[in-house]
Amino acid sequence: MATATDLEILIESIGAENVFVRGFGFYENEVVQYATTSYPANRTSPAVIVKPKNREDIAATLDYAKKQGVAVAIRTGGHQYSGASSATAPNIQLDLSETFQGPDDRTLLRKQGLLRTSVSWSLKEFSAYMFKNKIFVPHGQCIAVHLGGHVQTGGYGQLGRSFGLLGDHVTEIEIVDHEGVPKAISKHNDPALFKAILGGSPGNFCVVTHFTTKIYRDEDYDGSTGMKCMYVYSKETLNRLLDFVVKMSDEKEKPVPRNYDLCVSVVSSGNNFLAHFPSKGSQLRDIYHGDKNLPNIDEDLPKWPRLIFAWAQWVKLSPTDQYDPAWFNELKQDALPISINLALKPTPMSQMTSKWWILDSVREYPMPYVKSTRVSDKKNLAETGWAKWLTERIEEVVQPKDNGLFICAQIQPFGGVESMTRKNANNGTSYSWRESTVCATLDCFHLPEKDKKAAALAWREKNETEVFGPQGNFSSKDMRVLWGSFGEYDFSQVWYAYHENEEKYKFLRDQRAKHDPQGVFTANTFCVPAAGK
C-alpha cells in the first residue's frame, strides 16, 4: 500500500488539481461514470483518479503504480457499460478525457486522406470537427463515447456495411508503454502489438494516446442520401422493420448492395426523445394531440412516448450508382411527418454522420440497466422467425403501463456478401465475429427497486434461453462485442464469447505477457490475462 510520502510525490509531480484521492476533495464528482448506476460501487471505486496533462504524467503514474504493486485502469472519458474502464481500490484510474485536446492533438492531411487525432475527443467533438472539414469516417452514435475506447473496440456504427469499422481505417497508433516510453506502432514495425490493441483487450497492453486514420471526403461521395424516420410504436411496424433488417442480412435472396445501411431502435415511454430528434418535441406533441387514436401528451412533459426510429442511408460509391426508391419507400411507410429528409434530398456524408446519426444525449434513461448485446452468425433469420420473436419480447416490456421497465433496443444489419465489416477481416486487426450478420442491443433500464431489477434480469434470462445455441433463433453460439460487454466479469471465464477461437485468445495472452510483464494494466478481471497467469 502506498505511503503518504509516495502519494504526495505523485501529486506534486502531476498537480493537486489533477489527482483525486478516494475520500477527499472532488473525488465523488470524478468517479461517476455510466456503469455507476448499475453495478456495485466497488467496481468503479479506484483508490486514486489521475487526470494527466501529458505523456510525462502518464509515465509518472505508471511508475508509481509499479512501485506500489497496484494496477492502472484507463478511461478516455466515455461509458464502458460493465465498468471495465475503472477499478477497485487500491488500483488507479487514469482518465485521459482532457489530456490531449490541444491544437497539436488533431492534424488533418486532407489531400492525403489522413487524420491524426488524440483519443481524448468525444464523438460529439470528433463528429463536429469532421463536419466542419467536410470529411467522414465510420463511427458510433453516442456523443459521450471517447475515441480511445471506441477505436480499440472497433468503432461500430451506422456505416458498418458501406465502410466497415472505424478501427479498420487506423494506420498508426501512438502509445506510452508499460515502462513509460512513447512509441508509434503500425502494421509494419510491430504488427502483433498493432493487432492486439485493435480489438484484443482495450487498455490492457499500453496507454493509447493518438492514432492516425484514413478519412473520406464529401466531394468523393456527392449524391449520397439518407433519412431518419420516427414512427408511433406498434408491433406491426416493429415487425415490418425487423423483417427489413433480416432481408439485408440473409443471403438466400438477392444480396443488398454495400451502399445501404440501416439501424432500427425502439424506446419505451419516458425516453429522452431529444436524443434522437432535437427541437422536434413541440411538433410531436401536436401530432399526438391531433390524433384521436393517440393519447394526449402533457404540454410540459419533458419525456416522450413509445417510439420506433430508423436510420437509413445510401452512399454513392461510384458515379454510376443509383439508389432504389422502393427500398426507401418501403421503409418510410407510416413514418411521422416530422421525420428527416423523407424527400431524399442528396446530403453530404459528413452532415448525415455528424448531425443525423449521432445522438444528442448521454443515455436514454437516468436509471440502472440490465444490458445485452450480441451478434448473429445466422444467414437464415427469416426461417428462424427471429424478427417475430424479438417483436414479442420487446412488446412484453414496452406495452404494459407503469411496469417500471424501459426498453432501449438497437438492431443493425452488418451482414451480406458485400458488407465491408466482413470484407475487412484479416486486415491486421483482431476485431471478432467478422462474419456476423446482425448486431442486437437489448438494454432494459429499470426503476431502482429490487423487484424491478429482478424483473429486468428475468426478461433477459428468458431471452438467453432462446437466442443462441444449436436451437437458437438468432445465433449458433454466444457471440458478444467488447464495447457492449455484459454479464460475467471474469474474462477468463467467458473469453469464447468475445473471441472466435483459442488460437486468437492465446495470441492475445502472449502479447499481454510481453507488453505488460508486471501487470500494471491489469486493474480488474475483465481483460485478457497474460500467458502463464
Side-chain angles (χ1 to χ4, degrees):
M1 190 68 184
T3 67
T5 302
D6 294 329
L7 187 55
E8 286 172 359
I9 292 172
L10 180 69
I11 292 172
E12 184 176 352
S13 171
I14 294 177
E17 71 278 9
N18 295 312
V19 181
F20 305 88
V21 180
R22 186 176 181 181
F24 298 93
F26 294 98
Y27 174 91
E28 296 301 330
N29 293 334
E30 298 293 333
V31 77
V32 174
Q33 60 182 68
Y34 199 102
T36 302
T37 63
S38 305
Y39 295 98
N42 62 4
R43 184 179 290 193
T44 55
S45 298
V48 180
I49 300 172
V50 177
K51 303 184 84 169
K53 303 182 297 299
N54 48 43
R55 293 177 181 85
E56 290 75 18
D57 287 355
I58 293 173
T61 303
L62 297 179
D63 182 62
Y64 169 83
K66 286 192 286 187
K67 287 178 178 178
Q68 305 308 321
V70 299
V72 174
I74 304 166
R75 182 188 184 200
T76 54
H79 46 259
Q80 208 294 318
Y81 291 116
S82 60
S85 62
S86 190
T88 301
N91 295 319
I92 299 169
Q93 182 184 66
L94 191 66
D95 186 337
L96 305 180
S97 59
E98 301 170 10
T99 306
F100 301 107
Q101 292 196 335
D104 296 331
D105 291 312
R106 202 158 45 186
T107 304
L108 174 62
L109 301 173
R110 201 174 194 281
K111 289 185 178 180
Q112 293 91 328
L114 294 172
L115 171 69
R116 175 185 178 267
T117 179
S118 80
V119 299
S120 299
W121 306 106
S122 69
L123 284 188
K124 182 175 184 179
E125 295 163 325
F126 181 65
S127 65
Y129 178 86
M130 304 292 271
F131 176 66
K132 178 182 177 181
N133 288 281
K134 302 184 185 306
I135 58 176
F136 68 97
V137 292
H139 61 70
Q141 296 174 314
C142 301
I143 62 168
V145 165
H146 283 54
L147 288 175
H150 194 49
V151 74
Q152 289 181 70
T153 57
Y156 282 72
Q158 177 71 7
L159 279 62
R161 294 184 79 256
S162 51
F163 290 93
L165 310 180
L166 172 56
D168 290 334
H169 299 78
V170 172
T171 61
E172 185 176 81
I173 309 168
E174 297 170 44
I175 70 168
V176 175
D177 72 9
H178 72 100
E179 294 179 329
V181 179
K183 294 179 179 178
I185 302 299
S186 72
K187 295 179 186 178
H188 307 292
N189 65 14
D190 197 336
L193 180 55
F194 185 89
K195 181 177 181 177
I197 291 171
L198 295 179
S201 190
N204 299 141
F205 302 96
C206 57
V207 181
V208 177
T209 65
H210 298 75
F211 63 90
T212 299
T213 181
K214 297 176 185 177
I215 53 93
Y216 300 94
R217 303 175 299 186
D218 279 351
E219 62 266 28
D220 296 330
Y221 300 89
D222 190 40
S224 299
T225 191
M227 62 186 186
K228 187 175 180 181
C229 297
M230 181 196 307
Y231 312 81
V232 173
Y233 171 82
S234 73
K235 284 178 59 177
E236 294 72 24
T237 298
L238 177 57
N239 205 150
R240 180 175 66 81
L241 293 174
L242 291 180
D243 281 339
F244 220 89
V245 170
V246 167
K247 289 178 184 177
M248 294 183 70
S249 296
D250 284 7
E251 295 181 2
K252 291 192 175 181
E253 298 184 18
K254 181 180 178 181
V256 177
R258 163 193 166 192
N259 311 62
Y260 295 89
D261 281 287
L262 174 67
C263 181
V264 175
S265 292
V266 188
V267 289
S268 297
S269 58
N271 63 83
N272 273 328
F273 169 76
L274 295 181
H276 299 275
F277 286 75
S279 77
K280 298 281 188 176
S282 60
Q283 294 171 270
L284 180 66
R285 282 196 297 266
D286 291 343
I287 290 171
Y288 269 71
H289 280 296
D291 190 326
K292 65 180 180 180
N293 296 315
L294 296 173
N296 286 345
I297 302 175
D298 189 319
E299 290 291 343
D300 299 319
L301 193 67
K303 309 291 183 181
W304 307 112
R306 300 171 299 174
L307 295 165
I308 303 173
F309 307 98
W311 291 261
Q313 170 191 283
W314 176 82
V315 185
K316 189 162 185 145
L317 295 169
S318 73
T320 59
D321 284 353
Q322 297 290 330
Y323 69 80
D324 180 3
W327 190 84
F328 283 103
N329 289 336
E330 185 178 351
L331 268 177
K332 65 185 180 182
Q333 177 185 332
D334 299 324
L336 292 172
I338 58 176
S339 299
I340 295 174
N341 203 33
L342 293 178
L344 296 178
K345 178 182 176 181
T347 307
M349 287 296 297
S350 66
Q351 180 177 338
M352 287 191 281
T353 56
S354 66
K355 302 294 184 180
W356 294 1
W357 309 150
I358 205 155
L359 304 181
D360 196 22
S361 179
V362 174
R363 61 194 294 168
E364 290 80 1
Y365 304 94
M367 302 173 190
Y369 55 85
V370 171
K371 186 173 181 62
S372 171
T373 297
R374 280 199 171 88
V375 293
S376 170
D377 60 350
K378 289 187 178 290
K379 301 172 184 177
N380 63 337
L381 290 173
E383 295 177 10
T384 70
W386 171 75
K388 182 178 180 181
W389 172 87
L390 183 57
T391 298
E392 294 292 341
R393 297 302 296 145
I394 290 175
E395 173 80 357
E396 186 173 311
V397 174
V398 173
Q399 181 59 37
K401 291 183 179 180
D402 303 320
N403 63 350
L405 303 181
F406 306 84
I407 195 75
C408 179
Q410 190 169 63
I411 301 96
Q412 183 174 347
F414 282 88
V417 294
E418 295 190 30
S419 168
M420 291 307 295
T421 296
R422 173 185 291 187
K423 286 187 174 182
N424 286 333
N426 303 314
N427 66 347
T429 68
S430 57
Y431 304 119
S432 295
W433 312 127
R434 289 291 197 163
E435 293 292 316
S436 60
T437 53
V438 175
C439 181
T441 292
L442 303 176
D443 292 346
C444 189
F445 292 79
H446 58 85
L447 295 178
E449 290 80 8
K450 288 184 178 180
D451 63 322
K452 303 304 182 186
K453 180 178 181 179
L457 285 168
W459 182 77
R460 185 178 73 182
E461 289 303 313
K462 181 173 173 54
N463 296 345
E464 303 268 288
T465 65
E466 300 179 20
V467 295
F468 69 91
Q471 305 303 318
N473 61 27
F474 184 61
S475 60
S476 65
K477 54 189 174 183
D478 189 354
M479 302 163 62
R480 311 184 192 186
V481 285
L482 286 168
W483 60 264
S485 58
F486 69 97
E488 174 61 60
Y489 199 56
D490 184 343
F491 199 87
S492 66
Q493 301 299 309
V494 73
W495 65 266
Y496 55 83
Y498 295 94
H499 297 303
E500 296 98 331
N501 53 58
E502 196 163 2
E503 180 182 3
K504 177 190 281 190
Y505 185 55
K506 182 181 183 302
F507 162 78
L508 294 170
R509 294 190 66 188
D510 289 342
Q511 290 299 304
R512 277 302 304 274
K514 179 178 180 180
H515 296 286
D516 186 25
Q518 293 178 252
V520 71
F521 299 121
T522 311
N524 54 58
T525 61
F526 195 75
C527 60
V528 171
K533 297 295 181 70

